[in-house]
């Protein structure tokens, strides 16, 4: 299997004396999409932020490319990792082109190269550069903003992509569209991706493996077949909630999976 | 009245210029101190209470008294205009420091988190995110301070620092309404112009909302 891209080794995160996460042992394999699934408050965001050191573990170590994040220069670490959050955090005062070009510009790339990069990133997320380059975030739909957020995160060509409920703020139709579009992106540029969601459907659509969190603890890691067949009560509850959403009462939960 | 304006037009112009100088110089100093101080408060929250508290206390000192307190300050020399400028700058600090602090801490946490997550250094964060996004709030503080200063600057005449207050104090002493108005009306026009001009700038620099 080789060295994991990201590894949590006995990681605990405490705030105000309370354990919010852990102890957590977890490995993310190179190029896989690992989905952190759990109800809100289960510690998903906390786990994600430990990877790019927006938070620092109280105990244990988080390893990126085999090296503890504490030993990385934090700026280098973060520029090595793409980060997409709900509502994207696009800079409202920057045009789409400046938003997407942000990291290449910080990395000191020459202007022509940046322009080319921005255009190719926009095309990657299926936005016409001609039409969108000069727009501002408030002139985009929610789905378009989210795609620009993905383009921005990929523009620095990071090896790792972290996504925190990236599609959570979208209406169901736009969400389905952006999810499909993101699958296309993933086929073309493979990244080690950790995606946080509370949406089982999204997890099943985008994940290679699903890590189930509850109350700051890891309940288990499941491949898709394992997740669909596990007799674990929590997994079964997630499956039930999900198939309930599909509006085919009584339908076997395998039904929706290709 | 028209006759009065004709006779005094040179003096009105001179005193208006003096007035503008007092306000402009004091605002320049207040911005140079207040904006960095406000930024510092966002980095060291512990300083917030004492600094804002101190600025609040200055604000409560009656202006005539503040001008008086500063008279013996040795490093101001004997020049009345320096004393006036110092006093006006002190008054202007509170709105500028406060608005800088409020503006920067009010930046959308999502934008801030994304910026940090992408690896912006804290300096890049300041120049590329925090200052541009809080500029209109900071300007609103500068606007408040400027309008306030234009009014308070009329009192500078009491310590011989000149400005439109000259007319007002002379008019009070001579019980001459025309003289009082010769000071009050240009001061009101200045305040209005500053309010409109800075308000326009503030609206232009307001970031678009997503
Ligand atoms: N800054 C904080 N201080 C204290 N508790 C926090 C803080 N941030 C989050 N929490 C708590 O930590 C737990 C995990 O939060 P989080 O990782 O955001 O969960 P999730 O992303 O799964 O919804 C929750 O119980 C939340 O209330
Ligand atoms: Mg969360």
């Amino acid at each position: 299997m080789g060295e994991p891209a990201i590894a949590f080794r006995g990681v605990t995160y405490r705030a105000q004396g309370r354990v919010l996460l852990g102890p957590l042992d977890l490995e993310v394999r190179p190029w896989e999409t690992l989905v952190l699934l759990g109800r809100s408050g289960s510690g998903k965001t906390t786990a994600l932020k430990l990877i790019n050191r927006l938070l620092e573990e109280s105990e244990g170590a988080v390893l990126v490319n085999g090296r503890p994040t504490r030993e990385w220069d934090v700026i280098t670490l973060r520029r090595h990792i793409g980060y997409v959050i709900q509502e994207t955090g696009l800079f409202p005062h920057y045009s789409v082109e400046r938003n997407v070009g942000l990291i290449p510009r910080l990395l000191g790339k020459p202007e022509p190269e940046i322009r080319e990069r921005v255009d190719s990133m926009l095309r990657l997320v299926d936005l016409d550069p001609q039409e969108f380059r000069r727009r501002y975030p408030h002139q985009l739909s929610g789905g378009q903003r989210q795609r620009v957020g993905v383009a921005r995160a990929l523009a620095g060509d990071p090896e790792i992509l972290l996504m925190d409920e990236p599609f959570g703020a979208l209406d169901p139709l736009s969400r389905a569209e952006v999810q499909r579009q993101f699958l296309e992106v993933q086929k073309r540029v493979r990244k080690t991706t950790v995606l946080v969601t509370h949406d089982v459907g999204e997890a099943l659509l985008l994940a290679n493996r699903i890590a189930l969190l509850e109350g700051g603890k890891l309940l288990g890691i499941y491949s898709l077949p394992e997740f669909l067949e596990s007799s674990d009560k929590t997994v079964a509850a997630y499956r039930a909630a999900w198939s309930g959403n599909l509006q085919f009462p009584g339908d076997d939960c395998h039904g929706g999976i290709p | 009245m028209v006759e009065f304006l004709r006779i005094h037009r040179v003096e009105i112009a001179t005193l208006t210029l003096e007035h503008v100088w007092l306000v402009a110089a004091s605002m320049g100093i207040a911005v140079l101190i207040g904006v960095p101080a406000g930024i510092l408060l966002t980095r060291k929250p512990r300083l917030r209470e004492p600094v804002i508290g101190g600025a609040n206390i200055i604000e409560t000192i009656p202006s005539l008294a503040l001008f008086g307190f500063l008279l013996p300050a040795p490093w101001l020399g004997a020049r009345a205009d320096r004393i006036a400028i110092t006093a006006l700058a002190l008054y202007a600090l509170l709105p500028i420091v406060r608005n800088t602090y409020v503006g920067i801490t009010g930046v959308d946490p999502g934008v801030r988190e994304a910026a940090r997550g992408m690896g912006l250094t804290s300096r890049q964060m300041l120049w590329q995110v925090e200052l541009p996004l809080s500029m209109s709030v900071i300007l609103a503080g500068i606007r408040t301070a400027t309008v306030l200063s234009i009014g308070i600057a009329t009192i500078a005449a009491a310590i011989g620092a000149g400005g439109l207050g000259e007319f007002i104090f002379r008019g009070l002493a001579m019980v001459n309404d025309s003289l009082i108005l010769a000071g009050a009306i240009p001061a009101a026009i200045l305040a209005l112009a500053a309010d409109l001009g800075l308000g326009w700038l503030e609206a232009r620099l307001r970031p678009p909302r997503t």
Side-chain angles (χ1 to χ4, degrees):
Chain A
M1 193 75 251
E3 178 181 82
I6 303 165
F8 288 76
R9 304 252 189 259
V11 171
T12 302
Y13 178 78
R14 266 189 225 98
Q16 288 128 33
R18 216 156 61 85
V19 174
L20 300 183
L21 182 75
L24 179 63
D25 283 280
L26 175 68
E27 291 190 351
V28 185
R29 299 170 187 158
W31 321 123
E32 80 169 331
T33 298
L34 180 82
V35 166
L36 297 179
L37 179 67
R39 59 177 88 211
S40 52
S42 59
K44 307 182 295 294
T45 297
T46 306
L48 203 70
K49 286 182 175 175
L50 286 167
I51 300 171
N52 62 2
R53 237 172 89 184
L54 285 175
L55 297 174
E56 290 192 355
E57 65 278 5
S58 317
E59 270 162 42
V62 179
L63 278 60
V64 170
N65 290 349
R67 197 160 150 231
T69 53
R70 280 177 186 279
E71 288 176 15
W72 283 75
D73 167 63
V74 71
I75 300 299
T76 313
L77 175 77
R78 288 176 186 161
R79 288 185 187 167
H80 181 85
I81 298 177
Y83 189 45
V84 184
I85 56 179
Q86 189 172 336
E87 282 299 331
T88 67
L90 289 181
F91 295 0
H93 57 306
Y94 276 16
S95 63
V96 165
E97 106 83 23
R98 284 188 72 196
N99 265 292
V100 177
L102 186 73
I103 302 289
R105 215 162 256 130
L106 290 180
L107 294 172
K109 296 270 157 47
E111 276 308 310
E113 194 179 316
I114 295 173
R115 248 193 315 275
E116 212 167 286
R117 185 78 188 153
V118 168
D119 285 0
S120 84
M121 286 301 105
L122 287 176
R123 279 192 292 268
L124 179 68
V125 296
D126 220 4
L127 292 173
D128 176 15
Q130 289 292 342
E131 190 183 344
F132 288 96
R133 213 187 284 132
R134 276 174 233 296
R135 291 215 203 164
Y136 281 82
H138 70 279
Q139 298 165 323
L140 302 173
S141 73
Q144 289 164 347
R145 272 204 293 277
Q146 216 53 41
R147 290 194 220 174
V148 173
V150 171
R152 179 173 71 171
L154 293 174
D157 201 17
E159 283 174 33
I160 294 172
L161 191 57
L162 305 180
M163 309 179 86
D164 195 345
E165 308 203 14
F167 314 124
L170 302 177
D171 64 86
L173 285 183
S174 313
R175 188 186 320 160
E177 202 177 289
V178 180
Q179 284 169 340
R180 262 199 310 278
Q181 211 278 317
F182 179 68
L183 278 175
E184 288 301 311
V185 170
Q186 273 192 316
K187 275 186 212 151
R188 278 185 276 169
V189 285
R190 202 70 198 151
K191 305 283 177 194
T192 302
T193 305
V194 183
L195 186 143
V196 161
T197 185
H198 55 242
D199 177 342
V200 193
E202 181 163 288
L204 290 169
L205 183 66
L206 301 177
N208 298 117
R209 293 191 304 154
I210 296 174
L212 203 54
L213 282 176
E214 181 113 327
K217 297 248 187 319
L218 182 66
L219 286 187
I221 304 183
Y222 309 88
S223 66
L224 294 190
E226 284 165 357
F227 189 85
L228 293 171
E229 269 142 39
S230 168
S231 54
D232 182 274
K233 269 197 348 232
T234 315
V235 178
Y238 271 104
R239 272 196 316 250
W242 169 65
S243 52
N245 278 345
L246 291 181
Q247 299 181 335
F248 299 119
D251 195 25
D252 180 327
C253 62
H254 294 243
I257 300 302
Chain B
M1 190 71 201
V2 176
E3 181 63 11
F4 177 91
L5 285 178
R6 208 177 53 77
I7 298 171
H8 290 87
R9 66 174 192 277
V10 176
E11 204 182 356
I12 291 177
T14 313
L15 292 180
T16 303
L17 280 181
E18 271 180 26
H19 205 89
V20 169
W21 158 246
L22 290 177
V23 172
S26 59
M27 291 310 301
I29 294 170
V31 168
L32 284 178
I33 297 174
V35 173
I39 293 169
L40 185 71
L41 294 193
T42 65
R43 305 298 194 256
K44 310 232 180 287
R46 267 155 200 253
L47 294 178
R48 196 185 74 200
E49 294 291 316
V51 171
I52 300 273
N56 253 319
I57 289 173
I58 294 176
E59 219 73 359
T60 62
I61 304 174
S63 37
L64 199 52
L66 185 57
F67 286 114
F69 286 146
L70 289 173
L71 272 176
W75 37 273
L76 290 172
R79 290 188 47 191
D81 58 344
R82 284 196 207 164
I83 294 171
I85 288 167
T86 307
L88 291 174
L90 284 173
Y91 277 119
L93 276 178
L94 179 67
I96 294 175
V97 173
R98 197 209 300 120
N99 276 45
T100 303
Y101 177 82
V102 169
I104 289 181
T105 50
V107 169
D108 178 353
V111 172
R112 191 189 292 279
E113 188 194 313
R116 230 159 65 83
M118 285 186 301
L120 267 73
T121 62
S122 87
R123 176 187 297 229
Q124 288 163 341
M125 183 86 129
L126 181 68
W127 288 103
Q128 299 195 29
V129 179
E130 294 175 317
L131 284 178
L133 289 177
S134 57
M135 199 42 79
S136 75
V137 179
I138 296 176
L139 259 172
I142 296 175
R143 174 159 74 129
T144 308
T146 306
V147 173
L148 202 76
S149 292
I150 291 171
I152 298 177
T154 56
I155 295 170
I159 58 163
L164 290 162
E166 292 274 327
F167 277 132
I168 298 177
F169 280 103
R170 239 190 287 157
L172 283 171
M174 296 163 63
V175 200
N176 179 336
D177 284 351
S178 293
L179 268 177
I180 296 179
L181 288 177
I185 291 174
I189 292 173
L190 280 182
L192 204 65
D195 195 39
L196 287 175
L198 291 169
W200 175 81
L201 204 59
E202 187 188 317
R204 281 214 45 178
L205 292 175
R206 193 168 301 138
R209 301 178 51 109
T210 12

